[in-house]
Amino acid sequence: MKIKYVDIQNFRKLKKCEVEISEKQTIFVGANNSGKTSAIIAMQYFIERKKLSGTDISLCNWDAINEIGKRWLVDESIDLKKDEKDLIKLMPTLDVWISLIPSEYFHFQGTLTSIGSFGRLAGFRSIYMPKKLEDLFKDFIEKKNRVSEIETHIEAKSKKRPELWPRNLKEFIEERIESYFEYKTYALDSSRLALEPEGERCFDLPSKSLPLKKDILSNIVKISMIPASRGFNDTNEEKVGYNGKLSSQLQSYYSHFLDPTDGPSNDDADALMAIINAKETFDNELKRSFEEPFNELENVGYPGVSSPRLVLSSKVEPVTSLNHRSAVQYEIDRFKGEDGNEPYRLPEQYNGLGYQNLISMVFHLIRFRDEWLKKVKVEKDEDEQALKIQPIHLVLIEEPEAHLHSQVQQVFIRKAMEILGNDDWLRKNCNYKSQMVLSTHSGDIAHEVDFSDLRYFERLEVNNSTTIPMVKVKNLSKVFGNGDNTTRFVKRYLKSTHCDLFFADGIIAVEGAAERMLVPQFIEHHYRELSTSYISLLEIGGSHAHRLKPLIELLNVPTLIITDLDAAIKNDNGRWEKKMPQKGGKQQTNNGTIKKWVICENDIDKLLSLSFDKKVSGNTRIAYQGEVDITHRKKNIKFVANTFEDALFYHNIEFFGNQDGGSMMKGLKEAAKMSSKDDVMQGAFDAIKKGNKGEFALDLLMAEKFSDLVIPKYIAEGLKWIEEELNKRKKNLSLSESLTKEAE
């Protein structure tokens, strides 16, 4: 049995989204503030039935809730049944679809409407809905009328009308939500799934649906969670809240699973005798130590004839011995004590936060597993144990990368599922599953997992028609289809280079090493607003960049592709040979990205004449070299570059005429001395063809007046475009956040 899907509605930013849960681990990726945490919290709250607040209701539903309240105040012929249906559609909801086999049906006795043939899925909908709408209606009207009388009275005296609580129905609900709302769970008809389009599993309940009498979800699913705030601290600070200290975790684990005084077995005899002997020894020592003070008490008349006598009796409990500052220590093998045998030890808080975090999370996983399996020291009948264990263990982890360097992050994500399944009973009872859902901002974690386990949370763009921030969840396993060359290429490329694009505000794809080194410098020196955005810079050749198209379109963030014109002409052997770009020369581009993405054109003359808007498609813009007017030796010359290097040269001929460096730099210096256009272009073409582009970029970075370089026009236009696109999104995001705060 395992969770197959969850559908979340009306919860914070998640207005309506479906999340497919992988069989083992599911990784939530996406930019900051994209709803990853909301999805994790929704699963925890609904399955454990934790109290919701008014602000957990999606912001875009507040106006509709208040409209219902306005009707109640003015309309005497209220149809409460209709209003209840309308209100329920606005309230937070979680659908859970569980995949199971016939032998597991007994877990759902009396709760299923149908299993259906659609992948044998059992569905349940949990809604945070009114207990009894009549009570909410009556109390809201009564409170609002009383407040209106007071407001009118104050207005008559001060000529100003105050706005007292509750100003609207949403405010009333928020303040008293626990009094009027509760979780109700309904069984869903899985036979409906075959009739619904993919991604539309949140269909309406039948009108006569009745809530289940028992809390089926918490009986089926065990929730364990490691939050992002794990309570770690330095040696000078103690924090209250979630306790991440290993000593506290060990104490809790010992008391639950290891304490020999709790349900002792024959194996605990030695430990119990040691405890009894320790208690007797300590009691005798207490009696001796306190003999003199107690004698002094007798000298002042206590105890009297009828007064009880003081006796000290110790209580030796192994678990309390773990409850002190140095219960857990770290041995430093390199440093020995005076005898040269015992290594020095330091308390746990003196270890680095990274190690504390890793050890703590691993121990949490061990404890989660053993708590789920209800482990005790006394052996139980396995069939009896199975009846008491929830068949699904859902482990939720927020941002495990905190304080961990890259390699440790990868070790953790590789080992987490192994730890959760490391139990002999689980190996024999394979129908009992642990599933882990993890949110992260770490490219190292995204790099380490299977591509099919990634779920991308996209922040939908706020536009003129809506100011409400929304989120859409996309399953990356489906973006490329099944196992073609493009899929294999992208997966291997991302594994070997970049996974940070899953968290980026924008993406810039460049042609080669020179652009990868120099474009960030251009941004830093000339595009300060762009430099404050989270940009993922991909280095990918022009012949392969188009393979990223399905992924870039799915991520739906502003993307700039900086590539080369790559003019070529067929030689006598029928092969395409690189040439200097020339209008009217019957040339074609040899660049796969230009031919297959955004522009889909190969004729050089047409490419050089394309207008700006023809180089943009959706959120993607392509930038390549074009014809530019350059003043050289007091002459106005039209140059057409073929690559990034000659474009940079043509815009900075005088600069290159004064530079020294490697072979390419020397060749360009010689070309800069030429007087005719053809000689300059031929000299640059030859120098670039023979030179090392990486060495060229390093020479430029070392140049004394690097910041004086003029950015090639096509790159400058592209960087300006992506900066403006990101600024639009920032403004819309700021607007939506300010509206949220204002509404709160």
Side-chain angles (χ1 to χ4, degrees):
M1 187 185 304
K2 59 181 179 291
I3 297 175
K4 186 70 173 175
Y5 305 96
V6 295
D7 294 298
I8 305 168
Q9 299 180 69
N10 304 320
F11 186 81
R12 300 183 185 177
K13 286 189 175 182
L14 307 176
K15 171 61 179 171
K16 184 177 181 180
C17 72
E18 174 189 298
V19 185
E20 185 175 349
I21 306 298
S22 297
E23 182 173 348
K24 293 183 178 180
Q25 60 187 15
T26 308
I27 313 300
F28 291 172
V29 296
N32 281 323
N33 204 29
S34 60
K36 302 185 295 295
T37 296
S38 294
I40 283 181
I41 294 297
M43 287 186 278
Q44 182 198 22
Y45 277 25
F46 276 90
I47 293 174
E48 292 190 334
R49 296 203 166 194
K50 290 182 176 290
K51 173 188 172 184
L52 296 185
S53 69
T55 49
D56 288 326
I57 303 170
S58 290
L59 176 61
C60 54
N61 292 349
W62 292 3
D63 285 344
I65 291 172
N66 289 333
E67 286 299 319
I68 293 173
K70 289 177 183 178
R71 288 204 305 270
W72 289 356
L73 292 171
V74 299
D75 192 348
E76 296 181 357
S77 56
I78 292 294
D79 183 354
L80 282 183
K81 288 187 177 180
K82 179 181 181 303
D83 284 346
E84 184 173 34
K85 290 180 181 178
D86 292 342
L87 190 57
I88 288 173
K89 289 181 179 179
L90 300 170
M91 298 307 295
T93 301
L94 177 75
D95 289 1
V96 180
W97 292 95
I98 297 172
S99 174
L100 66 163
I101 57 178
S103 62
E104 297 169 327
Y105 289 177
F106 73 92
H107 288 287
F108 302 92
Q109 288 179 355
T111 64
L112 295 181
T113 57
S114 76
I115 295 294
S117 59
F118 195 80
R120 289 201 176 116
L121 292 176
F124 300 93
R125 175 168 298 170
S126 182
I127 311 174
Y128 202 62
M129 58 186 290
K131 297 177 182 177
K132 190 175 181 183
L133 191 64
E134 292 86 345
D135 292 343
L136 175 62
F137 168 76
K138 182 183 67 174
D139 292 349
F140 173 68
I141 297 298
E142 181 181 336
K143 182 67 176 177
K144 191 64 179 172
N145 288 338
R146 191 182 314 129
V147 166
S148 296
E149 290 178 9
I150 298 172
E151 289 174 344
T152 302
H153 179 71
I154 295 174
E155 184 181 23
K157 285 188 172 184
S158 64
K159 306 302 182 184
K160 292 182 180 179
R161 188 178 183 88
E163 284 191 307
L164 303 179
W165 179 88
R167 293 177 299 174
N168 49 52
L169 180 57
K170 184 264 173 185
E171 276 194 1
F172 187 78
I173 289 174
E174 184 172 18
E175 185 68 22
R176 300 183 178 180
I177 194 165
E178 203 168 12
S179 300
Y180 298 103
F181 287 79
E182 64 180 352
Y183 288 102
K184 292 183 181 179
T185 302
Y186 297 82
L188 296 172
D189 184 356
S190 63
S191 64
R192 288 277 303 275
L193 291 179
L195 306 175
E196 303 294 334
E198 186 173 347
E200 295 295 328
R201 292 183 171 84
C202 306
F203 47 77
D204 292 338
L205 289 169
S207 58
K208 295 184 180 180
S209 295
L210 295 175
L212 301 175
K213 293 182 180 179
K214 61 180 181 178
D215 178 17
I216 185 67
L217 288 179
S218 62
N219 290 334
I220 296 297
V221 182
K222 164 71 174 175
I223 291 282
S224 300
M225 183 169 179
I226 301 178
S229 300
R230 287 185 271 278
F232 291 101
N233 46 70
D234 60 29
T235 58
N236 300 313
E237 183 179 32
E238 294 292 335
K239 293 184 179 178
V240 179
Y242 187 89
N243 198 332
K245 294 180 82 64
L246 186 56
S247 55
S248 300
Q249 293 177 245
L250 290 174
Q251 183 183 5
S252 174
Y253 187 85
Y254 187 92
S255 64
H256 279 88
F257 305 115
L258 304 178
D259 189 352
T261 64
D262 181 17
S265 64
N266 292 334
D267 294 336
D268 296 319
D270 291 341
L272 290 171
M273 283 304 301
I275 292 171
I276 292 170
N277 291 335
K279 181 181 184 305
E280 183 178 338
T281 301
F282 192 39
D283 284 352
N284 290 334
E285 179 63 21
L286 285 174
K287 182 178 180 180
R288 185 193 64 78
S289 300
F290 279 90
E291 184 176 4
E292 186 173 337
F294 283 2
N295 287 337
E296 290 187 50
L297 282 174
E298 290 179 0
N299 291 335
V300 296
Y302 183 89
V305 175
S306 61
S307 302
R309 181 176 297 276
L310 290 178
V311 176
L312 295 179
S313 177
S314 63
K315 185 175 183 180
V316 179
E317 293 184 343
V319 68
T320 60
S321 65
L322 293 173
N323 187 22
H324 61 88
R325 184 178 180 86
S326 296
V328 177
Q329 298 179 338
Y330 295 100
E331 288 189 350
I332 313 297
D333 289 331
R334 296 191 304 275
F335 300 98
K336 303 289 186 179
E338 292 181 0
D339 58 5
N341 295 320
E342 288 293 327
Y344 287 143
R345 296 175 178 176
L346 291 173
E348 65 168 307
Q349 61 267 32
Y350 281 77
N351 204 7
L353 286 178
Y355 282 111
Q356 288 189 54
N357 194 29
L358 176 64
I359 295 169
S360 176
M361 287 193 297
V362 169
F363 203 82
H364 272 304
L365 297 182
I366 295 171
R367 181 171 61 84
F368 291 163
R369 179 197 66 212
D370 292 350
E371 285 178 347
W372 169 47
L373 297 178
K374 302 186 185 302
K375 281 198 168 183
V376 292
K377 296 187 317 82
V378 180
E379 290 188 8
K380 287 187 174 183
D381 179 83
E382 290 194 0
D383 293 335
E384 178 187 350
Q385 185 180 5
L387 291 173
K388 295 181 178 180
I389 297 173
Q390 295 107 314
I392 299 172
H393 182 209
L394 183 61
V395 179
L396 308 172
I397 305 177
E398 290 184 289
E399 301 175 23
E401 64 268 17
H403 308 297
L404 301 184
H405 64 71
S406 300
Q407 289 177 319
V408 179
Q409 293 175 33
Q410 293 173 349
V411 168
F412 174 78
I413 196 64
R414 284 201 301 267
K415 294 293 184 180
M417 288 304 302
E418 182 180 320
I419 293 167
L420 290 171
N422 186 25
D423 184 86
D424 290 338
W425 190 88
L426 285 177
R427 283 186 275 270
K428 289 187 289 185
N429 295 269
C430 56
N431 290 341
Y432 289 76
K433 300 287 187 182
S434 282
Q435 291 177 276
M436 184 173 70
V437 176
L438 180 150
S439 69
T440 184
H441 292 99
S442 169
D444 295 300
I445 287 179
H447 172 278
E448 194 61 30
V449 301
D450 192 276
F451 202 76
S452 62
D453 293 332
L454 296 177
R455 304 293 179 267
Y456 179 71
F457 282 65
E458 177 196 349
R459 293 184 306 212
L460 297 184
E461 186 172 356
V462 181
N463 52 46
N464 293 331
S465 62
T466 176
T467 55
I468 305 301
M470 300 297 293
V471 171
K472 186 175 184 180
V473 182
K474 297 181 177 180
N475 188 342
L476 296 186
S477 67
K478 300 177 180 179
V479 65
F480 295 110
N482 298 317
D484 60 11
N485 291 334
T486 293
T487 305
R488 286 192 294 273
F489 168 80
V490 174
K491 287 182 179 179
R492 291 169 184 171
Y493 172 73
L494 292 175
K495 283 283 187 182
S496 63
T497 54
H498 305 277
C499 279
D500 61 339
L501 79 168
F502 298 128
F503 315 98
D505 298 318
I507 298 170
I508 298 177
V510 297
E511 182 83 9
E515 293 98 314
R516 178 175 54 81
M517 287 188 272
L518 296 177
V519 168
Q521 296 296 322
F522 295 158
I523 293 172
E524 181 180 345
H525 286 91
H526 301 282
Y527 297 87
R528 291 304 175 93
E529 289 188 51
L530 183 57
S531 68
T532 63
S533 299
Y534 185 1
I535 300 294
S536 179
L537 190 72
L538 310 181
E539 178 192 343
I540 187 164
S543 60
H544 291 291
H546 64 279
R547 298 185 185 274
L548 289 173
K549 179 182 177 182
L551 179 60
I552 296 297
E553 289 179 346
L554 178 141
L555 299 180
N556 196 28
V557 296
T559 301
L560 172 65
I561 305 164
I562 298 175
T563 193
D564 288 340
L565 188 60
D566 285 341
I569 193 168
K570 274 189 178 180
N571 59 24
D572 294 338
N573 296 323
R575 295 181 179 177
W576 289 99
E577 182 181 344
K578 284 188 176 182
K579 289 290 183 180
M580 290 184 294
Q582 182 181 3
K583 278 188 174 182
K586 296 183 179 180
Q587 295 176 334
Q588 292 189 13
T589 179
N590 201 30
N591 187 303
T593 299
I594 294 176
K595 291 190 289 186
K596 299 179 181 180
W597 194 1
V598 180
I599 296 173
C600 300
E601 178 59 70
N602 57 14
D603 185 83
I604 291 293
D605 289 349
K606 292 181 180 178
L607 291 172
L608 292 176
S609 62
L610 275 184
S611 60
F612 176 88
D613 61 309
K614 299 294 184 182
K615 299 176 183 177
V616 180
S617 176
N619 286 310
T620 304
R621 187 192 189 283
I622 195 164
Y624 56 85
Q625 298 79 12
E627 191 173 56
V628 292
D629 292 325
I630 303 294
T631 300
H632 177 56
R633 296 186 181 275
K634 298 181 180 181
K635 297 179 184 177
N636 187 39
I637 304 175
K638 290 185 181 295
F639 286 105
V640 181
N642 203 39
T643 65
F644 166 69
E645 291 77 16
D646 58 343
L648 191 60
F649 170 72
Y650 294 146
H651 283 81
N652 299 275
I653 294 178
E654 185 176 338
F655 175 91
F656 281 96
N658 297 304
Q659 296 298 313
D660 293 311
S663 60
M664 186 186 298
M665 193 67 80
K666 290 177 181 177
L668 293 175
K669 184 176 182 179
E670 291 301 316
K673 297 177 181 178
M674 305 294 181
S675 56
S676 72
K677 172 184 174 180
D678 290 343
D679 289 341
V680 171
M681 291 185 68
Q682 188 63 52
F685 183 83
D686 293 338
I688 292 167
K689 187 176 181 180
K690 298 175 183 177
N692 184 305
K693 294 184 178 183
E695 181 186 54
F696 164 76
L698 293 173
D699 286 339
L700 278 180
L701 290 174
M702 293 293 293
E704 186 176 341
K705 295 184 178 180
F706 175 85
S707 60
D708 293 340
L709 277 173
V710 176
I711 302 174
K713 182 181 177 182
Y714 75 102
I715 294 179
E717 289 177 347
L719 293 177
K720 182 180 179 182
W721 172 84
I722 194 170
E723 185 176 60
E724 290 175 347
E725 289 297 306
L726 289 171
N727 282 339
K728 289 178 190 175
R729 292 198 172 200
K730 283 181 182 178
K731 288 178 182 177
N732 290 331
L733 184 60
S734 298
L735 173 62
S736 64
E737 288 176 345
S738 64
L739 287 171
T740 303
K741 291 176 182 177
E742 182 180 335
E744 292 175 352

